[in-house]
Amino acid sequence: MTTSTILSIDNSSNTYANKINNIVTKLTMTRPDDWHLHLRDGAVLPTTVRHSVQRFARAIIMPNLKSPIVNTDQAQAYQKRILQALPTHYNFKPLMTLYLTDQLTTTELQKAVASGIIYAVKLYPSGVTTNSASGIKSIESIYPIFETLQRLDVPLSIHAEVSDPQIDIFDREKVFLEDYLGKIIKSFPELRIIIEHITTSQAVDFVKEASTQVAATITIQHLLYNRNAMLLGGIRPHLYCLPILKRAHHQQALLTAAISGNPKFFLGTDSAPHAQSTKECSCGCAGCYTAHAAIELYAEVFEQAGALDKLEAFAAFYGADFYRLPHNQERLQLVKAAWTVPDAYSFGANQVIPLRAGEKVTWKLDC
Ligand code: DOR
Ligand code: ZN
C-alpha cells in the first residue's frame, strides 16, 4: 500500500522527507551554501549567478578572474557586479576572497579584513590551474602573510597541488600535502585552512588526522565520477577539471568522507564554467560547470549511498561552522522528479556545456 508521511529523517537535523513506499520523494532542508564557486565576470554573470542563487544562500567567490582580485577595491567592485546580476526575489550573499600574490602586503591584507567583505584568501601555486599565472612562486616566501592571516584569523583557502612539470598530474595533490601543507600547518597551527576540492584518499586521511583548524571541500564531479568517465571510450573534455579526476578508490574515499558526518568535510562545487569553444579544442580549459544542478546532484549521490540524512549538515552546516557564520534560516525543497539538463546554457555571447548535458537528473528544485 502506498503511504505518504512527513518525518524528520535525522533528529539532529532539520531535514524533512516525504516518503512513499519508503522511498524519499521530497526533501526539505536548510538552504545550503557553496563554499567554492567561480562566477566569472561581465556578460556571463546573469547565467552563473542565477543558477547559484536558485540553490545556495551564500558562496565563497573565487578570485581567479582573468585579471585576478588582488585588493579590497577590486573585491568590492566585483561584489557589486555580482549583486547587480542578482535576479529579483533572491537573497544571496557573495563571500569575497582575495587572490594571494607575491605582492600582497600586510597593510593591504589588514585593509581587506577591515572592509568586512573578505572571508578567505586564496592560494594558487603559480601555474597550477586556470588564471593562476599570478599565483605564488615560492610558498616559503609568503610565510609572513600566513603569519598575518593567522593573527587576523582569516581562513586560507588552498589549491593544494604542485605545478612542477616533473610531477605526474595524478600525484600533484599528494605531493603538495607531503612537501608543503604539513609544514605550513606545523608553522601556523592556529591558521584555519581549507584544502579545496580534495580528490584523493591521501587528502581525506590528511584532513582527518589534522587539527580542527583544517577542513576540505568536496565537489560533485569528484563524488560522481572517476577518471574512467573522462577517458574511457573517448575523451570527454567537460569532465576535465583540476585537480583531475582520479581512480575509483579515491572517488570511494571522498564519498565515504562526504557522508561520514565529519564536519571537516563540506560542500564546495568548484563550478567553473568555460565557453564551449575553449573546452572543445586541442588544448581545452580545466573546469566543470555544475551550478545549474549542484544540490540536486549531491542529493543523487547521497541518496545512492543511503545517506540522505547526512546531506543537510554537509551542505548547510559544516562549512558555515568552519567559517564561523550563522546557519541559514531559509529552507530549500527538492522533489524526486527526473528532468533533462539542457544541452547548453547561454554564456554571454557564447554557450557553456553543463555537467550531465542532455541527460537526466533525478532530483529537482521545488520552487
Ligand atoms: O578545474 C578547475 N577550474 N580547477 C581550478 O582550480 C580552477 C577552475 C577554473 O577557474 O576554471
Ligand atoms: Zn576552483
Side-chain angles (χ1 to χ4, degrees):
M1 198 184 73
T2 298
T3 56
S4 181
T5 48
I6 299 188
L7 73 164
S8 169
I9 56 176
D10 176 350
N11 288 338
S12 67
S13 82
N14 249 331
T15 311
Y16 286 85
N18 280 36
K19 285 189 176 183
I20 296 177
N21 284 341
N22 226 20
I23 293 173
V24 180
T25 55
K26 190 183 272 190
L27 205 59
T28 314
M29 59 187 266
T30 302
R31 198 166 186 83
D33 300 305
D34 185 349
W35 299 101
H36 185 132
L37 176 65
H38 300 266
L39 288 174
R40 311 302 190 205
D41 204 357
V44 308
L45 282 177
T47 297
T48 58
V49 170
R50 176 170 49 90
H51 285 150
S52 288
V53 306
Q54 284 168 343
R55 291 158 182 86
F56 298 103
R58 298 171 291 202
I60 286 280
I61 309 300
M62 287 295 141
N64 65 330
L65 302 182
K66 280 199 181 86
S67 178
I69 302 298
V70 296
N71 61 44
T72 317
D73 294 348
Q74 290 169 350
Q76 271 164 339
Y78 184 33
Q79 186 188 46
K80 209 166 154 196
R81 294 195 293 279
I82 293 168
L83 290 173
Q84 276 163 355
L86 212 63
T88 40
H89 310 306
Y90 280 101
N91 279 325
F92 178 73
K93 189 163 184 194
L95 309 172
M96 308 310 288
T97 60
L98 272 194
Y99 186 114
L100 197 47
T101 65
D102 295 317
Q103 285 77 44
L104 182 66
T105 60
T106 303
T107 314
E108 182 56 45
L109 190 51
Q110 278 167 334
K111 182 179 167 193
V113 175
S115 77
I117 68 159
I118 299 297
Y119 288 81
V121 169
K122 177 74 188 273
L123 163 59
Y124 289 101
S126 182
V128 82
T129 188
T130 311
N131 298 339
S132 64
S134 324
I136 298 303
K137 294 188 179 66
S138 154
I139 302 270
E140 287 79 7
S141 71
I142 53 158
Y143 270 37
I145 289 287
F146 294 159
E147 174 75 51
T148 309
L149 288 173
Q150 177 173 255
R151 185 164 47 78
L152 300 177
D153 199 17
V154 178
L156 174 66
S157 155
I158 304 187
H159 184 118
E161 286 193 290
V162 292
S163 56
D164 180 349
Q166 301 304 316
I167 307 291
D168 190 279
I169 188 165
F170 291 98
D171 296 333
R172 287 176 166 210
E173 181 176 276
K174 181 170 78 72
V175 172
F176 187 92
L177 302 180
E178 288 166 0
D179 290 2
Y180 296 102
L181 202 48
K183 283 183 203 152
I184 297 174
I185 291 169
K186 209 162 168 206
S187 305
F188 306 97
E190 297 305 318
L191 178 58
R192 273 180 294 153
I193 294 177
I194 306 99
I195 311 178
E196 301 292 348
H197 41 52
I198 56 168
T199 60
T200 56
S201 63
Q202 290 91 349
V204 169
D205 292 342
F206 187 99
V207 172
K208 282 203 292 199
E209 282 158 27
S211 78
T212 51
Q213 300 297 91
V214 178
T217 53
I218 304 182
T219 78
I220 186 62
Q221 67 266 23
H222 293 102
L223 292 173
L224 281 170
Y225 306 113
N226 59 64
R227 63 194 196 176
N228 273 7
M230 179 179 55
L231 295 171
L232 257 190
I235 292 180
R236 290 178 190 76
H238 298 291
L239 289 183
Y240 172 63
C241 63
L242 289 171
I244 200 161
L245 296 174
K246 306 290 193 307
R247 288 177 182 275
H249 73 86
H250 293 297
Q251 178 193 5
Q252 186 54 50
L254 296 174
L255 180 60
T256 305
I259 66 171
S260 66
N262 183 334
K264 290 172 153 198
F265 300 101
F266 46 83
L267 184 157
T269 63
D270 195 21
S271 177
H274 291 272
Q276 180 179 17
S277 57
T278 63
K279 294 280 295 173
E280 299 175 11
C281 58
S282 58
C283 184
C285 295
C288 301
Y289 187 58
T290 55
H292 64 293
I295 193 65
E296 298 91 318
L297 290 169
Y298 280 106
E300 197 175 299
V301 167
F302 275 62
E303 182 183 37
Q304 275 165 16
L308 267 182
D309 57 325
K310 297 290 195 296
L311 179 64
E312 183 184 49
F314 174 81
F317 298 161
Y318 298 154
D321 294 342
F322 190 83
Y323 276 89
R324 304 202 186 130
L325 294 170
H327 294 178
N328 297 316
Q329 293 306 305
E330 311 97 87
R331 315 278 292 161
L332 181 92
Q333 198 152 289
L334 294 173
V335 285
K336 195 71 174 294
W339 58 287
T340 304
V341 175
D343 292 334
Y345 289 105
S346 77
F347 190 63
N350 302 296
Q351 51 179 22
V352 59
I353 309 297
L355 201 86
R356 287 272 176 86
E359 292 174 42
K360 291 238 171 347
V361 171
T362 53
W363 287 93
K364 192 170 188 285
L365 284 186
D366 194 17
C367 359

